[in-house]
Every structure is written in structure tokens, then in C-alpha cells.
Amino acid sequence: MAALLSDLATEILIPVAAVVGIAFALVQWVLVSHVKLSPEKQSAGGNKNGYGDYLIEEEEGLNDHNVVVKCAEIQNAISEGATSFLFTEYQYVGIFMVIFAVLIFLFLGSVEGFSTKSQPCTYSKDTTCKPALANALFSTVSFLLGAITSLFSGFLGMKIATYANARTTLEARKGVGKAFITAFRSGAVMGFLLAANGLLVLYITINLFKLYYGEDWEGLFESITGYGLGGSSMALFGRVGGGIYTKAADVGADLVGKVERNIPEDDPRNPAVIADNVGDNVGDIAGMGSDLFGSYAESSCAALVVASISSFGINHDLTGMCYPLLISSVGIVVCLVTTLFATDFFEIKSVKEIEPALKKQLIISTVLMTIGIAIVSWIGLPAKFTIYSFGSQKEVANWQLFFCVAIGLWAGLVIGFVTEYYTSNAYSPVQDVADSCRTGAATNVIFGLALGYKSVIIPIFAIAVSIFVSFSLAAMYGIAVAALGMLSTIATGLAIDAYGPISDNAGGIAEMAGMSHRIRERTDALDAAGNTTAAIGKGFAIGSAALVSLALFGAFVSRAGISTVDVLTPKVFIGLLVGAMLPYWFSAMTMKSVGSAALKMVEEVRRQFNTIPGLMEGTTKPDYATCVKISTDASIKEMIPPGALVMLTPLIVGTLFGVETLSGVLAGALVSGVQIAISASNTGGAWDNAKKYIEAGATEHARTLGPKGSDCHKAAVIGDTIGDPLKDTSGPSLNILIKLMAVESLVFAPFFATHGGIIFKYL
């Protein structure tokens, strides 16, 4: 029995959903651009989204005109810094991209000695497939496409964020609701562009490759895996480079500014302040955009590879084959409706409503998406079909796949909310950490670390349950679509995530433009909510990375022709040990990089305070450019070693020790990487929000911990500073390490299976 949805309908539905997503993003962008950054009087038109429903509050003793001009100037400086950094980064990354593309072609081409003859297929020996050389060529092309899409996603996100930050600041004069809508809309622009672009490019690539591959779907989808590899390898450099940049500036600015000189955060007298705000855009926005795009590309690739050797691929059932893409298409539509809830259906009146509004986004999108998945599974899949499972075909019904996707989706929500509980200052864990600052920085650090380790427990159970259920129902394909389920609401997830750095920047601009205390309070409230949502976003990224890399691992094991991975064989066990060590090695590299870059930054900031006359009094301007240059140089230089570690490990292990040891390394890295990533992200997030909790002084308890500048607050700032590299450099980069090694092993699997394991062959 075929699916209810015809092949033609599928071919129309997927690109239409992507185009709708792009159109929606452009509409949101136009709405954001209605906030003018030039000092003309605002027109009192259009009452719906509230341009001109409130009179702009008169600033205390500040001429309105000056403030707008100042905001525009600062925004310009941030935007230029971010753009120039990304261009420098992309030059280096571009060289790497070309070298790696050549490697892919040589390794995969050499599988059959560069012959152009057709060969028997890997899984069904009686049919002929296209030559390995073709696979090498098309894998290289899809790698480059994935890489370019990933860089493009990050760059677009950065452009939108630097466009919106000052606009959010100016809207904050009219009230917190207006500022929230501007920041959230801009986040939505990024979310929808990224989700829709990822889907559209993948869909077009599949259709173009089909022109050559024709009936050979196995070869076609094997070469598509390069798309995921390209997406993730760029994300690695974006995340690590951006993370080092942003944290070097942040740590340098905080240590000298807040702890030594007692000046407030984002004070214009602080030389590192522009670098700090640029960092939010290149690390948290560009890096994260590439990262989530990579996850999305890989989970789609993992699902497609397994499907191509299941009944969908064997019977050439296009609709069933495109099930992963259909989930993403429905996801875009669902997120579109969800976004309207935040921007148009409800209005935020007070500070208390910000966090609930963002949490509602997650819940609404998850509930609507569950219904969406049910519909897609019902009309897009045949009632019964078979899924490839380690050498045999397993019969699966369409309702079982619905459960696989749904459990991934809900596990994502659980991870999101647990993360929120551990990192938001509305709950006791962060309040306990803040309370421990009474006795100084040491107890703060101890409490924060304990919180991070404890926050791993429930997410791991959530991941474990979803793996068990989805594997029992539909083997490795089940895990791949569970990962896709977790990422199906990526547009909303990204909107919530990008909202954080945008409001963080808005607060910085308000402080630098010398706006009133009241406005800074509003932007701080937006920013504190943004910190929590950023932690939720990282939780999603880590959870989905675990599922994605397990699915890729399954596809790799199948492709490399291993029937079982036996932990008791020494080959595999040494792989496990080494794999589990890799996340520590990687974290050590990234943390050390942040530390040494921050050291240079601290020295530079101190030098300026000591040698530039009139800087503390605010009569002369600091030299921002030198600090921006320190961050740029440090991050470009320091992103190469960690990147090389991740990219070369699978190649070296696979070539020298063979596929069994490599499967051990992948399993080890997955198991230890997830734990470190969750605990690092949550520890850092909790320390940051404990500091904000003390600064805001919103409760009786917070007020006893003292105003800004008290001993208690200084201890909190130290905790926050230690947490910075954990939550924004090591933690988020680790999920890329897990996925990237798995997808790379999958792409190179044909080579490892034929030529790998040199050492063991001659021992």
C-alpha cells in the first residue's frame, strides 16, 4: 500500500514550505526596520504593532536627538567589528575547506583505484551502482555546498543581530513590550532563514544529484552525507573561533572594569567594551547559527542514508524517502504560527511576562508539532514498510515512526525545561549559588560546579529513554528521526536563542549611549531572560547532537560492514578509552585559548586605564580598536588546533587502526562529550544568572546580598567570569565535536572499510 501523499505533492510541498519560511523571515525583517535609527520624528502611523502608540518618554536631561545618533554610532562600530572578524575567519576557513574537499575526493576516489567502471552495490550485490569515483566527486560537491550554506547562515544571523540591537534599545524607551517584540522578531528572521535555507539547499541538491544517479539511490544518499559534514565542520570553526573571541573580550572587560575599577558593565570608558559586544554577535549568533544548521543537516543526512537502504530506497518510494524533509517542512509552518503568538496575539506588559512568553513559545511549538508529525506520518508513509537494521530488514508501521519523532520532540522540551530550572534565577538552584557568594568566590565556585554536574541527570535519562524507545520501534532510522523531531522546531528554537545576544547588545548600547537607569533596567530584564533561553538552546543543541551522532554512528557501522561492535575486544576498548578522553583534550585547548587571550586583553585594558589621561573621568575616548584586534588575532590563531584535533582524529584512527577501533572512539566521545557539554553549559549559565540575580535586587533575599560592588557581588562576578569559557566556548563546541567525528567517519567509511587498519593488518 502506497502513502496517501503523491510523489508530485511531496515535490511541491517541500520547496513551498521553505519559500514560505524565507518570505516570513523577510516580512519580520521589514517590521523590525520600521524602527528608525535616524533622529527624524517618528510617524504616528500603523497602530497594530505599536509604532507610535506611546509617546516616547522624555529622557531625564538628555536630548532625544543625541541619544539616537549615539546609538547609531555604537551599532555601526559593533557591526563593522563583527563583519571584519567574520571575513578574516572565513578566509582561513576557506583555505581549510578547499584542502579538506581535496582530501575527501582523494580518499573516496582511491577506494576503487579511481576507476570509472560501475560496481556492485554495497548492500544488494546483484545490482550495479555508480563507480566510487562518482561518489567521491559528488560527496566533495555536497561537502562544499553544506560548508557554504553553514557560513552563509552564520553571516546572515550576525547581520540581522547587529541590525536589530540598537533598534531594541530605542524601543525600550517606549516600554519593555516593544523592545521584546523587536528583539524577538529579529531572532525569528534568523531562525526562519536558517531552517528554510537548510531545507531548500538540501532538497535542490538531492534533485540535482538525481540527474546523474538516476535509479541508484544508495549511491545518491551516500554522497549527500557530505552536506552534513560541510555544515558541521564550518560550525566547529565558527563556534570555537567565535567563542574564543567573545570570551576573551568578556573576561578582560569584566576583570578590569568591574572588579578592579568598579565601573559598571558595558561602561563606555572600558576599552574592551566594543570587543565584548562584537563577541556576542560572532560567538553566540554566528557560531550558534552554523551549529544548529549542522545538526539539522546531519540528522537529515543520517535519516536519508538509512532510508535509502530500506524499503523506501529499494522500491524508490519518493514520498517515504522524503519523510525527514517533510517533517522539517511542517516544522517551518508550525514555527510560523508559534511566532505569531509572541509578536501579534499576546502583548507583553511587564518584565515578569518575558520569560513565560518565551517558555510558551517552546510549549506551543511542541504541541502543534506533535499534531503536525501525526498528519505527516499518516499521509506521507505507507501503512507498513521495512527499515534496514544491521544487515536485516525490520518491518515497521507508520504509527511507530510517529512515536519515534514525537519522543525526540518531547525529550527536547524536557531537556529545555530542566536546563531552564537549573539556570534561571527564578528557581532555587541559582538562588542557592547566589547565596553561597556570602562567603566569597570559593564557595560560589563549589556550588556552581555541583549544580552543573547535577543538571546532567534528567537530560541523560531523557536522551536514554528516547534512544531506547525509538531504536526498539524503528532501529537506527528511529533514532535519526527522533533527532529530527528534536530539531523540527528549529526556527522557534533559534528565534528564542538569538533573542538573548540581541538583548544583551541592546543593554550594552543603552549603557554606552548614557541612557537613563530605567531603560537599562528594562534591557537587563530582557537580557536575564535571554541568558536562560540561551541555556535552553544549548540544551537542545546538545541533546540533538547526542541523538544525531548515535544515528550517524549506526549508519557508519552499517556502511563499514561491521555487524556488531564488541566492547570486549581490545581494539574496540582502547578506542572507547581514547574517545572518552577527546572531549577533555578539546575542552582543555579551548579553555586555555580563552585564558591566554583574556590575559592579553586584561593587560591591554590595564595599560589604557593607566596611560591614557582623562579615561577614568570620561573626558577622552579609549582605544577600542586595539582590543578588537587582540580578540580577532587570538581567536583566529587559537581555533586551528582544536579544529584540527576533531577533524584529523577519525582520519588517523580509521586509516591506521581500522573501523572497529574508530567505532570505539566514536562511542567513547559521544558518551563523555554529552556529559561535559551539559554540565559546562549549565554551570556557566547558573553563575551568570546568580550574578544578575544579585545585581537586579528584585527580591528581599537578593537585596541582602548587596548592591553592585559589594564583596558578595564581586564573588559572583568571579564565578561568572570562570563560567564564561565553560558556557560559551567549551560547552557548546563539544556537541559539534561529537557530531562532526561521527559524520566524518560516515563520509570516509568506504575508504576505511577497504584500506583502513594498516597497523593491525601488519601486526
Side-chain angles (χ1 to χ4, degrees), residues 679-720:
S679 62
S681 295
N682 290 351
T683 295
W687 275 328
D688 195 342
N689 273 345
K691 174 203 70 177
K692 287 214 164 53
Y693 174 74
I694 294 175
E695 286 177 353
T699 60
E700 197 49 55
H701 173 232
R703 283 191 286 279
T704 61
L705 296 172
K708 287 187 183 183
S710 67
D711 284 347
C712 214
H713 176 245
K714 280 186 177 168
V717 170
I718 292 173
D720 174 33

Side-chain angles (χ1 to χ4, degrees), residues 344-539:
D344 296 75
F345 300 160
F346 301 116
E347 199 178 338
I348 286 189
K349 302 274 195 306
S350 72
V351 170
K352 284 193 208 50
E353 292 169 19
I354 302 171
E355 233 173 87
L358 292 167
K359 279 159 65 177
K360 271 195 204 109
Q361 285 287 299
L362 286 175
I363 296 171
I364 294 168
S365 64
T366 305
V367 171
L368 291 177
M369 192 62 208
T370 311
I371 301 164
I373 298 165
I375 296 168
V376 169
S377 307
W378 181 52
I379 63 169
L381 290 170
K384 287 263 191 295
F385 44 89
T386 64
I387 294 289
Y388 182 86
S389 168
F390 298 122
S392 60
Q393 296 280 350
K394 172 184 169 79
E395 189 172 275
V396 179
N398 55 5
W399 60 267
Q400 289 174 297
L401 270 196
F402 159 71
F403 274 113
C404 292
V405 185
I407 197 161
L409 179 68
W410 285 90
L413 190 70
V414 168
I415 294 174
F417 278 133
V418 171
T419 311
E420 195 240 2
Y421 173 71
Y422 279 106
T423 56
S424 161
N425 52 27
Y427 304 105
S428 60
V430 171
Q431 292 173 4
D432 290 346
V433 172
D435 193 62
S436 71
C437 293
R438 289 175 197 277
T439 46
T443 40
N444 181 23
V445 171
I446 294 168
F447 269 70
L449 286 173
L451 175 144
Y453 297 148
K454 196 172 162 192
S455 70
V456 176
I457 302 169
I458 298 172
I460 291 294
F461 277 121
I463 294 171
V465 169
S466 48
I467 287 172
F468 182 78
V469 173
S470 48
F471 189 86
S472 312
L473 291 174
M476 274 303 169
Y477 188 69
I479 294 176
V481 291
L484 256 176
M486 205 177 269
L487 290 165
S488 58
T489 50
I490 184 173
T492 296
L494 262 170
I496 291 176
D497 226 344
Y499 154 88
I502 292 172
S503 5
D504 190 352
N505 259 219
I509 292 173
E511 182 78 50
M512 282 187 269
M515 289 178 147
S516 73
H517 177 61
R518 221 177 32 254
I519 288 178
R520 182 70 221 225
E521 270 176 5
R522 283 175 195 158
T523 55
D524 270 353
L526 289 172
D527 182 19
N531 254 343
T532 305
T533 56
I536 293 177
K538 283 169 195 147

Side-chain angles (χ1 to χ4, degrees), residues 21 51 53 98-99 133 160 165 255-256 296 427 478 508 681 687 722 736 754:
Y51 310 112
D53 2 357
V98 173
I99 296 171
L133 192 65
I160 293 153
N165 50 17
L255 282 180
V256 184
Y296 166 76
Y427 304 105
S681 295
W687 275 328
I722 301 172
I736 307 180
T754 30

Side-chain angles (χ1 to χ4, degrees), residues 133-192:
L133 192 65
N135 188 11
L137 183 67
F138 283 100
S139 293
T140 310
V141 173
S142 61
F143 166 76
L144 291 170
L145 278 171
I148 291 163
T149 313
S150 182
L151 294 181
F152 183 63
S153 308
F155 188 74
L156 265 182
M158 182 280 300
K159 274 289 176 217
I160 293 153
T162 51
Y163 182 81
N165 50 17
R167 288 175 165 78
T168 306
T169 312
L170 293 176
E171 286 291 272
R173 294 176 308 179
K174 304 178 191 171
V176 77
K178 291 283 169 287
F180 171 81
I181 286 183
T182 304
F184 188 79
R185 277 219 164 98
S186 326
V189 178
M190 177 183 174
F192 282 93

Side-chain angles (χ1 to χ4, degrees), residues 89 92-93 96-97 99-100 103 143 229-230 232-244 582-583 585-591 593 634-652 729-730 733-734 736-744 748:
E89 180 181 72
Y92 285 87
V93 168
F96 161 81
M97 206 159 85
I99 296 171
F100 207 76
L103 271 183
F143 166 76
L229 176 61
S232 247
S233 52
M234 295 308 107
L236 177 73
F237 289 107
R239 250 313 188 196
V240 175
I244 293 170
L582 286 173
W585 189 359
F586 180 82
S587 299
M589 282 178 165
T590 48
M591 304 251 317
S593 303
S635 55
I636 298 290
K637 190 173 103 245
E638 304 276 358
M639 76 181 180
I640 311 288
L645 173 74
V646 178
M647 299 299 289
L648 295 177
T649 303
L651 286 180
I652 294 169
T729 314
S730 301
S733 315
L734 277 173
I736 307 180
L737 168 134
I738 306 168
K739 296 178 311 202
L740 187 51
M741 283 176 36
V743 74
E744 191 184 327
F748 286 101

